[in-house]
Amino acid sequence: VSGMKNVSVGLFFIVMIISTFFINFKVIINLLKNKKQEQVEGADICAKAMEYIEAHYMNEQLSRTLLGEQLGISYPYLSKLFKEKYRVTITDYITQVRMRHVKEELKNTDHSIQKIAENNGFSNSQTFIRIFKKLEGITPGMYREYIKNNQES
């Protein structure tokens, strides 16, 4: 009888261990599914952020805060998702988009530097020139001259 009792207790513990394993396994599977869903939702949010930036880069008020408000999520969370997905900050991405448009405008128009700054979301031409020179190594005027001289060759 004592031996049977020990076997029963042993079997009970084995069943409990197996049961706990399967419960934990289900929890892990659900966590993985939720993580995958968060990644999909994060990718959707980041794609929407990029679309919004592309459509509104000329707004000098465009910022990570405004972007978060427009997308209905906190800007710290949006910033985290964006940086994880694209390996660039939102602020840097906004600047990259603006600079891409600035270069096209410098290349294809004779607009003044002031007008180009305004058209592309920079608050003033001094800030624009400083940022342009920092990123490109030359002023916007020098860039325009370089492009003009190399197109004619």
Side-chain angles (χ1 to χ4, degrees):
V1 176
S2 172
M4 286 296 274
K5 191 174 186 180
N6 287 340
V7 170
S8 295
V9 169
L11 285 175
F12 173 77
F13 281 117
I14 290 172
V15 168
M16 290 301 294
I17 290 169
I18 291 172
S19 175
T20 302
F21 170 80
F22 281 112
I23 290 170
N24 288 336
F25 184 74
K26 285 181 182 180
V27 168
I28 290 168
I29 294 297
N30 285 334
L31 288 172
L32 291 172
K33 285 180 183 176
N34 289 343
K35 182 69 174 170
K36 183 67 176 172
Q37 183 63 32
E38 285 175 16
Q39 288 173 341
V40 169
E41 289 170 2
D44 289 347
I45 290 167
C46 289
K48 287 177 184 172
M50 288 183 91
E51 288 173 18
Y52 190 89
I53 291 167
E54 290 290 340
H56 298 91
Y57 68 90
M58 69 292 296
N59 176 357
E60 73 178 62
Q61 300 302 316
L62 182 59
S63 66
R64 60 189 183 160
T65 305
L66 177 66
L67 197 54
E69 289 170 4
Q70 293 299 315
L71 298 175
I73 63 172
S74 73
Y75 80 80
Y77 180 62
L78 175 60
S79 293
K80 177 183 173 292
L81 290 175
F82 199 91
K83 177 84 180 216
E84 286 174 359
K85 174 93 173 135
Y86 299 116
R87 304 283 186 245
V88 65
T89 66
I90 291 171
T91 302
D92 287 347
Y93 182 73
I94 291 169
T95 301
Q96 288 173 9
V97 169
R98 287 176 172 161
M99 293 300 287
R100 186 177 73 240
H101 289 278
V102 158
K103 288 179 182 179
E104 284 299 310
E105 201 167 340
L106 285 166
K107 180 178 170 183
N108 298 317
T109 73
D110 60 355
H111 295 158
S112 70
I113 300 301
Q114 176 69 36
K115 181 70 174 157
I116 292 172
E118 290 170 7
N119 290 349
N120 291 284
F122 292 95
S123 57
N124 62 63
S125 60
Q126 291 82 16
T127 301
F128 164 61
I129 293 167
R130 183 178 42 77
I131 291 170
F132 191 97
K133 187 169 183 180
K134 178 181 174 190
L135 295 174
E136 300 300 321
I138 58 176
T139 66
M142 292 170 71
Y143 178 87
R144 177 181 264 164
E145 271 305 306
Y146 175 79
I147 293 298
K148 182 177 149 187
N149 291 337
N150 286 315
Q151 282 181 340
E152 293 173 359
S153 305

Coordinates of all heavy atoms in Angstrom, one line a residue, residues 26-67:
K26 N 1.8 27.3 -23.8 CA 0.8 28.1 -24.4 C 1.0 29.6 -24.1 O 0.8 30.4 -25.0 CB -0.6 27.7 -23.8 CG -1.1 26.4 -24.3 CD -2.5 26.0 -23.7 CE -3.0 24.7 -24.2 NZ -4.3 24.4 -23.6
V27 N 1.4 29.9 -22.9 CA 1.7 31.3 -22.6 C 2.8 31.8 -23.5 O 2.7 32.9 -24.1 CB 2.1 31.5 -21.1 CG1 2.7 32.8 -20.8 CG2 0.9 31.2 -20.2
I28 N 3.9 31.0 -23.7 CA 5.0 31.5 -24.6 C 4.5 31.6 -26.0 O 4.8 32.6 -26.7 CB 6.1 30.5 -24.5 CG1 6.8 30.6 -23.1 CG2 7.2 30.7 -25.6 CD1 7.8 29.4 -22.8
I29 N 3.7 30.7 -26.5 CA 3.1 30.8 -27.9 C 2.3 32.1 -28.0 O 2.4 32.8 -29.0 CB 2.3 29.6 -28.2 CG1 3.2 28.3 -28.3 CG2 1.5 29.8 -29.5 CD1 4.2 28.4 -29.4
N30 N 1.5 32.4 -27.0 CA 0.6 33.6 -27.1 C 1.5 34.9 -27.0 O 1.2 35.8 -27.7 CB -0.4 33.6 -26.0 CG -1.5 32.6 -26.2 OD1 -1.8 32.3 -27.4 ND2 -2.1 32.2 -25.2
L31 N 2.6 34.8 -26.2 CA 3.5 36.0 -26.2 C 4.1 36.2 -27.5 O 4.3 37.4 -28.0 CB 4.5 35.8 -25.1 CG 4.0 35.9 -23.6 CD1 5.2 35.5 -22.7 CD2 3.6 37.4 -23.4
L32 N 4.5 35.1 -28.2 CA 5.2 35.2 -29.5 C 4.2 35.8 -30.5 O 4.5 36.6 -31.4 CB 5.7 33.9 -29.9 CG 7.0 33.4 -29.1 CD1 7.3 32.0 -29.5 CD2 8.1 34.4 -29.3
K33 N 2.9 35.3 -30.4 CA 1.9 35.8 -31.4 C 1.7 37.3 -31.1 O 1.6 38.0 -32.1 CB 0.6 35.0 -31.2 CG 0.6 33.6 -31.8 CD -0.7 32.9 -31.5 CE -0.7 31.5 -32.0 NZ -2.0 30.8 -31.7
N34 N 1.6 37.7 -29.9 CA 1.4 39.1 -29.6 C 2.6 39.9 -30.0 O 2.4 41.0 -30.5 CB 1.2 39.3 -28.1 CG -0.2 38.8 -27.6 OD1 -1.1 38.5 -28.4 ND2 -0.3 38.5 -26.3
K35 N 3.8 39.4 -29.8 CA 5.0 40.2 -30.3 C 4.9 40.3 -31.8 O 5.2 41.4 -32.3 CB 6.2 39.4 -29.9 CG 7.5 40.1 -30.2 CD 7.7 41.3 -29.4 CE 9.1 41.9 -29.6 NZ 9.2 43.2 -29.1
K36 N 4.6 39.3 -32.5 CA 4.5 39.4 -34.0 C 3.4 40.4 -34.4 O 3.6 41.2 -35.3 CB 4.1 38.0 -34.6 CG 4.1 37.9 -36.0 CD 5.4 38.2 -36.7 CE 5.4 38.0 -38.2 NZ 6.6 38.4 -38.8
Q37 N 2.3 40.4 -33.7 CA 1.2 41.4 -34.0 C 1.7 42.8 -33.7 O 1.4 43.7 -34.5 CB 0.0 41.1 -33.1 CG -1.2 42.0 -33.4 CD -1.7 41.9 -34.8 OE1 -1.7 40.8 -35.4 NE2 -2.2 43.0 -35.4
E38 N 2.4 43.0 -32.6 CA 3.0 44.3 -32.3 C 4.0 44.7 -33.4 O 4.0 45.9 -33.8 CB 3.8 44.3 -31.0 CG 2.9 44.2 -29.7 CD 3.6 44.1 -28.4 OE1 4.9 44.3 -28.4 OE2 3.0 43.8 -27.4
Q39 N 4.8 43.8 -33.9 CA 5.7 44.1 -35.0 C 4.9 44.5 -36.2 O 5.3 45.5 -36.9 CB 6.6 42.9 -35.3 CG 7.6 42.7 -34.2 CD 8.4 41.4 -34.5 OE1 8.0 40.5 -35.2 NE2 9.5 41.3 -33.8
V40 N 3.9 43.8 -36.6 CA 3.0 44.2 -37.7 C 2.4 45.6 -37.5 O 2.5 46.4 -38.4 CB 1.9 43.1 -38.0 CG1 0.9 43.6 -39.0 CG2 2.6 41.8 -38.4
E41 N 1.8 45.8 -36.3 CA 1.2 47.1 -36.0 C 2.3 48.2 -36.0 O 2.1 49.3 -36.5 CB 0.5 47.0 -34.7 CG -0.7 46.2 -34.7 CD -1.3 46.0 -33.3 OE1 -0.8 46.5 -32.3 OE2 -2.3 45.2 -33.3
G42 N 3.5 47.9 -35.5 CA 4.6 48.9 -35.5 C 5.0 49.2 -36.9 O 5.3 50.4 -37.2
A43 N 5.1 48.2 -37.8 CA 5.4 48.4 -39.2 C 4.4 49.3 -39.9 O 4.7 50.2 -40.6 CB 5.6 47.1 -39.9
D44 N 3.1 49.0 -39.6 CA 2.0 49.9 -40.1 C 2.1 51.3 -39.6 O 2.0 52.2 -40.4 CB 0.6 49.3 -39.7 CG 0.3 48.0 -40.4 OD1 1.0 47.6 -41.4 OD2 -0.6 47.3 -40.0
I45 N 2.4 51.5 -38.4 CA 2.5 52.8 -37.8 C 3.7 53.5 -38.5 O 3.6 54.7 -38.8 CB 2.7 52.8 -36.3 CG1 1.4 52.3 -35.6 CG2 3.1 54.1 -35.7 CD1 1.5 51.9 -34.2
C46 N 4.8 52.8 -38.6 CA 6.0 53.5 -39.2 C 5.7 53.8 -40.7 O 6.2 54.9 -41.1 CB 7.2 52.5 -39.1 SG 7.8 52.4 -37.4
A47 N 5.0 53.0 -41.4 CA 4.7 53.3 -42.8 C 3.8 54.5 -42.9 O 4.0 55.4 -43.7 CB 4.0 52.0 -43.4
K48 N 2.9 54.6 -42.0 CA 2.0 55.8 -41.9 C 2.8 57.0 -41.6 O 2.5 58.1 -42.1 CB 0.8 55.5 -40.9 CG -0.2 54.6 -41.4 CD -1.3 54.3 -40.4 CE -2.2 53.3 -40.9 NZ -3.2 52.9 -39.8
A49 N 3.7 56.9 -40.7 CA 4.6 58.0 -40.3 C 5.4 58.5 -41.5 O 5.4 59.7 -41.8 CB 5.5 57.6 -39.2
M50 N 5.9 57.6 -42.3 CA 6.7 57.9 -43.5 C 5.8 58.6 -44.5 O 6.2 59.6 -45.1 CB 7.4 56.7 -44.1 CG 8.5 56.2 -43.3 SD 9.3 54.8 -44.1 CE 10.6 55.7 -45.0
E51 N 4.6 58.1 -44.7 CA 3.7 58.7 -45.6 C 3.3 60.1 -45.2 O 3.3 61.0 -46.0 CB 2.4 57.9 -45.7 CG 2.5 56.5 -46.4 CD 1.3 55.7 -46.4 OE1 0.2 56.2 -46.0 OE2 1.4 54.5 -46.6
Y52 N 3.1 60.3 -43.9 CA 2.7 61.6 -43.4 C 3.9 62.6 -43.6 O 3.7 63.7 -44.1 CB 2.3 61.5 -41.9 CG 1.7 62.8 -41.5 CD1 0.4 63.1 -41.6 CD2 2.6 63.8 -40.9 CE1 -0.2 64.3 -41.2 CE2 2.0 65.1 -40.5 CZ 0.7 65.3 -40.6 OH 0.1 66.5 -40.2
I53 N 5.1 62.1 -43.3 CA 6.3 63.0 -43.5 C 6.4 63.4 -45.0 O 6.7 64.5 -45.3 CB 7.6 62.3 -43.0 CG1 7.5 62.2 -41.4 CG2 8.8 63.0 -43.4 CD1 8.5 61.2 -40.8
E54 N 6.3 62.4 -45.9 CA 6.4 62.7 -47.3 C 5.4 63.7 -47.8 O 5.7 64.5 -48.6 CB 6.3 61.4 -48.1 CG 7.5 60.4 -48.0 CD 8.8 60.9 -48.6 OE1 8.7 61.8 -49.5 OE2 9.8 60.4 -48.3
A55 N 4.2 63.6 -47.2 CA 3.1 64.5 -47.6 C 3.2 65.9 -47.0 O 2.6 66.9 -47.5 CB 1.8 63.9 -47.3
H56 N 3.9 66.0 -45.8 CA 3.9 67.3 -45.0 C 5.3 67.8 -44.7 O 5.4 68.7 -43.8 CB 3.1 67.0 -43.7 CG 1.7 66.7 -44.0 ND1 1.2 65.4 -44.1 CD2 0.6 67.5 -44.1 CE1 -0.1 65.4 -44.3 NE2 -0.5 66.6 -44.4
Y57 N 6.3 67.4 -45.4 CA 7.7 67.8 -45.1 C 7.8 69.3 -45.2 O 8.6 69.9 -44.5 CB 8.7 67.1 -46.0 CG 8.6 67.6 -47.4 CD1 9.3 68.7 -47.9 CD2 7.7 66.9 -48.3 CE1 9.2 69.1 -49.2 CE2 7.6 67.4 -49.6 CZ 8.3 68.5 -50.1 OH 8.2 68.9 -51.4
M58 N 7.0 70.0 -46.0 CA 7.1 71.4 -46.2 C 6.5 72.2 -45.0 O 6.8 73.4 -44.9 CB 6.5 71.9 -47.5 CG 5.0 71.8 -47.6 SD 4.2 70.1 -47.6 CE 4.8 69.4 -49.0
N59 N 5.9 71.6 -44.1 CA 5.3 72.2 -42.9 C 6.4 72.4 -41.9 O 6.9 71.4 -41.3 CB 4.2 71.4 -42.3 CG 3.6 72.0 -41.0 OD1 4.1 73.0 -40.5 ND2 2.6 71.3 -40.5
E60 N 6.8 73.6 -41.6 CA 7.9 73.9 -40.6 C 7.6 73.4 -39.2 O 8.4 73.2 -38.4 CB 8.4 75.3 -40.6 CG 7.4 76.3 -40.0 CD 8.0 77.7 -40.0 OE1 8.2 78.3 -41.0 OE2 8.2 78.2 -38.9
Q61 N 6.3 73.2 -38.9 CA 5.9 72.7 -37.6 C 6.0 71.1 -37.5 O 5.8 70.6 -36.4 CB 4.4 73.1 -37.3 CG 4.2 74.6 -37.3 CD 5.0 75.3 -36.3 OE1 5.2 74.9 -35.2 NE2 5.6 76.4 -36.7
L62 N 6.3 70.5 -38.6 CA 6.4 69.0 -38.6 C 7.5 68.6 -37.6 O 8.6 69.0 -37.7 CB 6.7 68.5 -40.0 CG 6.8 67.0 -40.1 CD1 5.5 66.3 -39.7 CD2 7.1 66.6 -41.6
S63 N 7.1 67.7 -36.7 CA 8.0 67.2 -35.7 C 7.5 65.9 -35.2 O 6.4 65.4 -35.6 CB 8.1 68.2 -34.5 OG 6.8 68.2 -33.8
R64 N 8.4 65.2 -34.4 CA 7.9 63.9 -33.9 C 6.7 64.1 -33.0 O 5.8 63.2 -33.0 CB 9.1 63.2 -33.2 CG 9.6 64.0 -32.0 CD 10.9 63.4 -31.5 NE 11.2 64.3 -30.3 CZ 12.0 63.9 -29.3 NH1 12.5 62.7 -29.4 NH2 12.2 64.7 -28.3
T65 N 6.6 65.2 -32.3 CA 5.4 65.4 -31.5 C 4.2 65.5 -32.3 O 3.1 64.9 -32.1 CB 5.6 66.7 -30.6 OG1 6.8 66.6 -29.9 CG2 4.4 66.9 -29.7
L66 N 4.2 66.4 -33.4 CA 3.1 66.5 -34.3 C 2.7 65.2 -35.0 O 1.5 64.9 -35.1 CB 3.4 67.6 -35.3 CG 2.3 67.8 -36.4 CD1 1.0 68.4 -35.7 CD2 2.8 68.8 -37.5
L67 N 3.7 64.5 -35.4 CA 3.5 63.2 -36.0 C 2.8 62.2 -35.1 O 1.8 61.6 -35.5 CB 4.9 62.7 -36.5 CG 4.9 61.6 -37.5 CD1 4.2 61.9 -38.7 CD2 6.4 61.2 -37.8

